[in-house]
Amino acid sequence: MPAVLITGAQWGDEGKGRATDLLGSRVDYVVKFNGGNNAGHTVVIGDEKYALHLLPSGILTPGVTPIIANGVVVDLAVLKQELDALNARGLDTSKLKISANAHVITAYHRTLDKVTERFLGKRQIGTTGRGIGPAYADKINRVGIRIQDIFDESILRQKVEAALDFKNQVLVKIYNRRAIGVDEVVEELLSFRELLEPMVADTGLMLHEAMQAGKTVLFEAGQATMLDIDHGTYPFVTSSNATAGGASTGSGLPPHQIDRVIAVIKAYTTRVGAGPFPTELFDEMGEHLAKVGHEYGTTTGRLRRCGWYDAPMARYAARINGVTDFVLTKLDVLSGLETIPVCVAYDVNGVRHDEMPVNQSDFHHAKPVYVEFPGWSEDISDARRFEDLPKNAQDYILALEKMSGSRMSAIGVGPEREQVVVRHDLLD
Ligand code: GDP
Ligand code: IMO
Ligand code: MG
């Protein structure tokens, strides 16, 4: 069986965790390859609700081997907390493996994330404050700390010293904060040695061997296409590659081995944090979508900004990721609306753009060109087959499929595990 990838087509929170859960026990490995505990995935299984940040959602499926690969930035205190919380609920997490090459998020990354945001004032990104950007900046600047460094105390101390040398000057002289001591950082990191010991592995080799043995590997992205550092709405993005290409560099599995790319996309659009959002609604309709869709961030609890479905954005995601299947989520949230507008193009200063403008300023000024679709009043949460959906809901899906650049293979009609209409098998 193949390697399959799940990412988000919009600005995150499309329901990736839920889509991973959908594939469940048909998968042998679930790999997180980017981001860190900025992600927030909610998975509802029966009466139980799980909110995962750092751990891949596949950890909830018995028998699956969860992997935190090299492309992830790991806050070790969060790792411990999430594992403890799952263990307390009776879940077995002993199969988890972490790449020796993954970077760690330390106290100074978290502090720098918060102070730089404050310093940006009204130009702030609205980050999750988890230290993600500063940890990736250190990685690229070659002053990061990796998981493997924790097993060599003298190297660890040297690296923390080198990192703090410059950072303490910035913290004290620019941001007027206290200096962070080398000892406190080193001590904290060393305290996780015992926890990490059985988990640390050459995860790239593990995945290679898994593929050779015919296992199914699922890559689960944190964040989404429009938050990707290269392909998203820079600078209002996260600091990693959430698009399909990131799975390869972020895990060590070569690109040609990933042959199925699933993009999860909401039947409308949401965004947390700052940045352009052409279809954003500022009226009661936006409030209605937020209320019915429970659009509060899983990680920070912030209210998500809401707007209509954006077809040029879907096509862009299809192209950048090489999407083979879309999973359309939260269709149930649209029930009861008289008409449903869909953005089919943008108007930028009087010029029509059928595709995403290459220039960020144009995207900032883009006004959506809408086509209205008739809504449906029925409750669709019990639909399990496409034929069970009202005609107008079927037509809405078919219309989105036509404009979005790939087939809509599964449709979410509610948050629970079984509330889904599957049109095409996602693994077959
Ligand atoms: P992720 O970050 O992409 O994994 O998504 P989040 O978990 O942050 O946000 C998606 C939210 O939508 C979660 O609360 C899910 O339980 C919920 N959800 C997913 N699919 C559906 C659906 O089809 N209908 C409804 N009503 N809720 C859904
Ligand atoms: P999941 O995996 C939605 C947003 C933040 C901010 C920007 C940068 O649940 O879809 P960061 O802390 O990453 O430096 O913040 O990215 N952001 C997300 N928005 N869902 C997420 O993850 C996000 N992770 C980061 O709100 O605008
Ligand atoms: Mg989320």
Side-chain angles (χ1 to χ4, degrees):
M1 265 313 279
V4 180
L5 178 134
I6 290 182
T7 190
Q10 297 154 324
W11 280 291
D13 305 320
E14 297 91 348
K16 298 176 290 292
R18 193 274 165 95
T20 296
D21 186 60
L22 187 67
L23 301 179
S25 51
R26 297 172 67 197
V27 166
D28 301 298
Y29 292 79
V30 173
V31 185
K32 179 175 170 97
F33 61 87
N34 76 304
N37 57 315
N38 48 346
H41 307 301
T42 305
V43 181
V44 184
I45 306 173
D47 294 336
E48 299 278 323
K49 189 168 171 176
Y50 297 90
L52 296 166
H53 300 283
L54 174 60
L55 295 169
S57 313
I59 202 157
L60 301 174
T61 309
V64 166
T65 301
I67 290 184
I68 294 180
N70 58 278
V72 176
V73 285
V74 185
D75 186 320
L76 293 165
V78 173
L79 175 71
K80 183 164 177 351
Q81 270 165 26
E82 285 197 6
L83 289 173
D84 287 349
L86 290 182
N87 293 336
R89 291 171 79 170
L91 264 102
D92 176 18
T93 57
S94 61
K95 287 188 152 192
L96 177 69
K97 294 291 173 209
I98 299 193
S99 167
N101 289 349
H103 282 244
V104 296
I105 300 176
T106 67
Y108 50 82
H109 298 122
R110 287 187 295 267
T111 304
L112 279 167
D113 194 356
K114 290 185 185 120
V115 293
T116 44
E117 276 283 280
R118 216 168 293 153
F119 216 67
L120 281 171
K122 63 179 192 322
R123 284 170 300 145
Q124 70 181 29
I125 312 287
T127 72
T128 59
R130 302 295 192 262
I132 305 295
Y136 276 115
D138 276 5
K139 173 177 172 173
I140 301 300
N141 271 333
R142 294 162 294 187
V143 290
I145 313 289
R146 297 194 290 177
I147 296 277
Q148 58 183 279
D149 299 328
I150 294 170
F151 295 89
D152 185 333
E153 190 174 339
S154 105
I155 285 285
L156 176 66
R157 187 167 291 277
Q158 283 175 41
K159 290 193 174 180
V160 172
E161 267 169 13
L164 277 177
D165 225 15
F166 175 70
K167 286 192 181 64
N168 273 335
Q169 307 239 20
V170 174
L171 281 173
V172 173
K173 293 182 186 158
I174 298 178
Y175 295 118
N176 207 15
R177 301 284 293 224
R178 77 171 177 89
I180 293 176
V182 172
D183 286 342
E184 58 183 285
V185 175
V186 170
E187 290 308 310
E188 203 207 333
L189 293 175
L190 288 177
S191 74
F192 294 108
R193 224 181 194 177
E194 219 174 296
L195 173 77
L196 287 171
E197 200 123 34
M199 297 176 194
V200 178
D202 182 344
T203 51
L205 179 62
M206 274 180 78
L207 291 173
H208 171 75
E209 288 173 349
M211 292 300 287
Q212 290 214 315
K215 304 286 186 197
T216 302
V217 174
L218 174 64
F219 290 97
E220 182 188 89
Q223 296 78 53
T225 306
M226 302 309 289
L227 287 172
D228 183 281
I229 184 82
D230 284 282
H231 303 290
T233 46
Y234 190 91
F236 302 101
V237 291
T238 191
S239 299
S240 67
N241 288 113
T243 46
S248 196
T249 50
S251 74
L253 206 71
H256 71 275
Q257 294 200 292
I258 302 168
D259 46 12
R260 203 68 182 260
V261 178
I262 300 164
V264 186
I265 191 160
K266 272 183 210 183
Y268 50 99
T269 311
T270 65
R271 168 161 216 176
V272 219
F277 180 176
T279 65
E280 182 169 14
L281 292 161
F282 299 96
D283 55 8
E284 316 81 67
M285 189 49 81
E287 282 167 31
H288 171 84
L289 292 176
K291 197 167 144 228
V292 179
H294 301 288
E295 297 296 354
Y296 294 90
T298 312
T299 299
T300 56
R302 287 179 290 178
L303 185 65
R304 295 176 184 145
R305 300 156 63 193
C306 294
W308 299 120
Y309 188 90
D310 187 328
M313 191 186 295
R315 282 199 295 279
Y316 179 72
R319 169 163 66 84
I320 294 286
N321 294 293
V323 171
T324 55
D325 304 81
F326 279 112
V327 172
L328 184 73
T329 56
K330 298 194 130 175
L331 187 68
D332 52 300
V333 174
L334 301 182
S335 296
L337 300 180
E338 212 153 290
T339 55
I340 307 169
V342 169
C343 168
V344 296
Y346 307 115
D347 179 320
V348 183
N349 304 322
V351 179
R352 183 182 166 113
H353 288 244
D354 288 303
E355 303 302 329
M356 287 271 303
V358 65
N359 192 320
Q360 182 78 9
S361 304
D362 286 349
F363 191 62
H364 264 275
H365 297 118
K367 299 265 174 292
V369 177
Y370 285 122
V371 169
E372 305 244 343
F373 290 86
W376 56 92
S377 55
E378 297 90 332
D379 177 353
I380 60 168
S381 56
D382 289 328
R384 296 294 175 269
R385 295 168 311 153
F386 191 68
E387 303 76 57
D388 297 340
L389 293 166
K391 174 81 171 51
N392 285 353
Q394 292 185 14
D395 288 347
Y396 181 70
I397 295 164
L398 295 176
L400 296 192
E401 182 168 72
K402 212 164 156 196
M403 7 176 156
S404 301
S406 187
R407 61 186 187 176
M408 300 266 163
S409 294
I411 321 293
V413 293
E416 292 184 24
R417 201 174 233 182
E418 64 282 2
Q419 288 182 310
V420 66
V421 170
V422 178
R423 297 176 67 211
H424 306 284
D425 190 331
L426 291 170
L427 288 185
D428 206 7

